[in-house]
Amino acid sequence: MPEGSRKWLWRGVLALFLTFALLLAYALWLLGPTGKEAVVRIPRGAKGAEVARILEEAGLLRSGHLFSAYLRFSGRERRLVPGVYRLKGEGAFRLARALTGGEKPLTLTLTFPEGQRAKDYAQRLSQAGLDGEGFLRLVENPGPLKPPYVEGRTLEGYLFPATYTFDLLATPEEVVRALLRRFEAELTPPVRALLAERGLSVHAWVTLASIVQAEAGSEAEMPYIAGVFLNRLERGMPLQADPTVAYALGKRLPELSRPAGDFAVDSPYNTYRYKGLPPGPIGNPGRAALLAVLNPIRQDAQGRPYLYFFHARGKLFLNTDFAGHLRDLARHRYSSP
């Protein structure tokens, strides 16, 4: 080969090498750190191209196309973990590792208090950014999610009050299942044995516990209140529980008004008009209320059954006869301080 041809060949090789080096450097720059930080939401079922677009729009990547290709050819596209992440633009390779198990998605922790209704839980979920409306629709029409022991139409009462941690992409079904699983944990063999011994169905147990929960001012009062209600049920007396009337009207307890005729409402939840338990729970009782129904205090020291109670000045007053009940009402509730 002539000397001149060799020179042109080397120059061509060098130019090709330099071009390749420049393209490689540019590609590495495109895939490199951006220095930005963002919270991104990776939907369930998202493919590499969609994930790349989300990261690029958040400023974590310079080239979504190159990142998408890397995910596809490296096999990481199949291992993407959906969720909400707080990520830094530290480069495509670190981002890929983060989204395929290297980092855990963000979660939120929610506490559902004892005694609140499903609609209150739905509001908490909505305030936390989850689908509270979908949750409430599922509670009211659970379909195949409804356990066999739930005799009512809804899941009210079986949404166990506790503290839960959810993925930020948690669906209404996942939330409902979590609360139902926690309730199932309370149905231990000893509890089932006590229910059989007391002649209570799970539904009756939860329904009564929800009323006890709403009536009690403290956990210490719950066994006494449960005892009063069980004694009244046994004797065919109406429960006359204010919280059931409030539930029938969709009101809070302090909003009830006798002059407005609230206590005359024609509803199966009005335990002043109808004897026995209402059709279902009026809230979601906690463990203390559930156990109180299974372990009630039904008699005084002389063995007389408690049949009446009321609250006054922060205390619970119990009575075994109506005359004594009226006397104590006049003395403690209706008398001036």
Side-chain angles (χ1 to χ4, degrees), residues 4 18 134 201 203 230 269 271 328:
L18 288 174
S201 67
H203 192 69
L230 286 166
Y269 282 92
T271 54
D328 282 349

Side-chain angles (χ1 to χ4, degrees), residues 13-24:
V13 170
L14 181 60
L16 186 63
F17 175 79
L18 288 174
T19 301
F20 176 76
L22 287 171
L23 287 173
L24 179 61

Side-chain angles (χ1 to χ4, degrees), residues 160-329:
F160 195 80
T163 298
Y164 298 85
T165 298
F166 298 112
D167 185 288
L168 292 183
L169 295 183
T171 64
E173 182 173 338
E174 288 170 337
V175 175
V176 169
R177 285 188 184 278
L179 272 62
L180 290 177
R181 279 197 303 271
R182 184 60 189 80
F183 174 80
E184 291 271 0
E186 297 298 311
L187 276 174
T188 61
V191 165
R192 290 184 181 274
L194 277 174
L195 286 172
E197 183 182 318
R198 305 283 192 267
L200 288 171
S201 67
V202 174
H203 192 69
W205 173 46
V206 177
T207 300
L208 183 52
S210 72
I211 303 172
V212 170
Q213 180 81 62
E215 287 277 16
S218 67
E219 290 186 5
E221 295 178 359
M222 291 180 179
Y224 293 96
I225 294 173
V228 170
F229 287 144
L230 286 166
N231 287 337
R232 292 177 76 91
L233 288 170
E234 196 174 82
R235 286 160 177 75
M237 299 171 65
L239 294 183
Q240 296 183 321
D242 292 8
T244 65
V245 180
Y247 187 80
L249 295 168
K251 292 185 174 183
R252 300 297 177 185
L253 202 54
E255 296 170 351
L256 287 179
S257 169
R258 288 186 183 277
D262 286 352
F263 288 85
V265 62
D266 189 7
S267 165
Y269 282 92
N270 185 350
T271 54
Y272 281 85
R273 291 192 63 162
Y274 295 96
K275 296 179 181 179
L277 289 170
I282 60 169
N284 296 282
R287 175 181 289 174
L290 290 165
L291 292 179
V293 173
L294 296 177
N295 301 281
I297 299 174
R298 300 181 62 164
Q299 300 176 336
D300 66 7
Q302 287 73 46
R304 296 172 297 185
Y306 290 123
L307 295 172
Y308 303 92
F309 76 88
F310 68 92
H311 287 94
R313 300 171 187 174
K315 292 179 62 178
L316 178 70
F317 293 87
L318 296 152
N319 262 290
T320 61
D321 63 88
F322 190 55
H325 177 62
L326 291 177
R327 189 167 53 250
D328 282 349
L329 274 174

